[in-house]
Amino acid sequence: MPHILIVEDEAAIADTLIYALQSDGFTTTWLTLGLAAVEHQRAMPADLIILDVGLPDITGFETCKQLRRFSEVPVMFLSARSEEIDRVVGLEIGADDYVVKPFSPREVTARVRAILKRLLPRTEAASASELFGIDRERVQITYRGQLLSLTRHEFRLMQSLLEQPERVFSREQLLDALGTAADAGYERSIDSHIKSLRAKLRLIAPDAEPIQTHRGLGYSYSPSHS
Ligand code: CA
């Protein structure tokens, strides 16, 4: 679960945020001082920092500047209306977003989720892998919601590749997956199975290349090219 560092000197506001974030599945740490937040981030990096602009020691802006010397952690500013935060200033300092008080805790958690989603490319790779669905009992694979019409060998090949994204399989390893004795003739048949698999995938997504060729090594399934 993503860990959120809250830097806010007003306990009532911090409590509201902690409650909202924890109800949403985040873990939280609460600090009241800017310098303490910088030190904390150095020792135990959080995934995102919610940073009040008006803090008792140094300002949230100064805190953010110090953080930026060693960290790219997403920062969301909290600002009181009276502080009249200038959006441009906040963004120039390297903040990712800001919310003006009084705010609704739901708005804050929604923004936190949006920032994390935007900044974590791994999240996208995970959803790309869901483009494929394997039904082992029926020996069927779907791609982008459409059923692929596969031979038994093509199914086994695709299944092996899908089960270990980014792993490069040699032709021999893929032959093992087919349960066929490895000999010279069969190695070439792997290439022809892959060729026909690709043709079937291309009918559904002409511009995608889920099966990657690694010259001299073999093949892999790449979620980011799916
Ligand atoms: Ca404050």
Side-chain angles (χ1 to χ4, degrees), residues 15-222:
D15 281 347
T16 310
L17 285 175
I18 291 166
Y19 180 78
L21 288 164
Q22 290 186 353
S23 310
D24 225 33
F26 296 98
T27 58
T28 56
T29 297
W30 172 36
L31 296 172
T32 56
L33 299 175
L35 289 172
V38 174
E39 286 319 304
H40 190 276
Q41 184 64 16
R42 225 190 276 277
M44 279 183 285
D47 297 301
L48 184 145
I49 300 181
I50 298 178
L51 187 54
D52 185 28
V53 172
L55 293 170
D57 58 344
I58 58 173
T59 67
F61 294 139
E62 179 57 30
T63 306
C64 189
K65 274 190 204 161
Q66 294 198 19
L67 284 167
R68 283 289 169 261
R69 288 180 197 150
F70 66 95
S71 171
E72 292 295 308
V73 63
V75 169
M76 187 169 82
F77 280 123
L78 294 181
S79 155
R81 280 190 194 286
S82 59
E83 285 161 351
E84 294 278 71
I85 187 175
D86 180 341
R87 185 170 187 92
V88 178
V89 170
L91 296 178
E92 273 177 1
I93 281 174
D96 297 90
D97 202 351
Y98 80 88
V99 175
V100 175
K101 298 172 183 175
F103 51 79
S104 97
R106 278 191 177 197
E107 184 193 355
V108 173
T109 53
R111 282 173 185 258
V112 164
R113 267 202 307 273
I115 293 169
L116 291 175
K117 200 171 176 185
R118 197 167 73 222
L119 298 180
L120 292 175
R122 263 182 250 152
T123 313
E124 280 169 36
S127 63
S129 72
E130 285 157 19
L131 289 172
F132 284 95
I134 307 177
D135 184 337
R136 286 171 192 77
E137 280 180 21
R138 291 187 190 161
V139 198
Q140 287 177 344
I141 292 176
T142 55
Y143 178 42
R144 297 181 181 231
Q146 294 185 55
L147 185 63
L148 292 166
S149 166
L150 303 177
T151 66
R152 194 164 46 88
H153 282 172
E154 288 165 358
F155 173 82
R156 285 270 179 77
L157 280 181
M158 196 69 223
Q159 182 188 17
S160 303
L161 292 168
L162 287 173
E163 283 177 346
Q164 295 184 61
E166 310 293 356
R167 174 182 164 187
V168 179
F169 287 85
S170 68
R171 290 175 178 78
E172 259 185 10
Q173 288 166 333
L174 289 172
L175 276 175
D176 283 347
L178 296 186
T180 315
D183 68 43
Y186 275 109
E187 293 216 2
R188 238 168 286 134
S189 82
I190 290 288
D191 292 342
S192 67
H193 288 316
I194 294 278
K195 192 176 169 188
S196 110
L197 250 179
R198 277 183 170 149
K200 291 173 180 178
L201 295 169
R202 237 172 253 140
L203 286 177
I204 295 172
D207 298 324
E209 200 65 63
I211 301 175
Q212 299 277 304
T213 303
H214 301 265
R215 203 176 281 269
L217 295 171
Y219 299 100
S220 71
Y221 157 55
S222 166

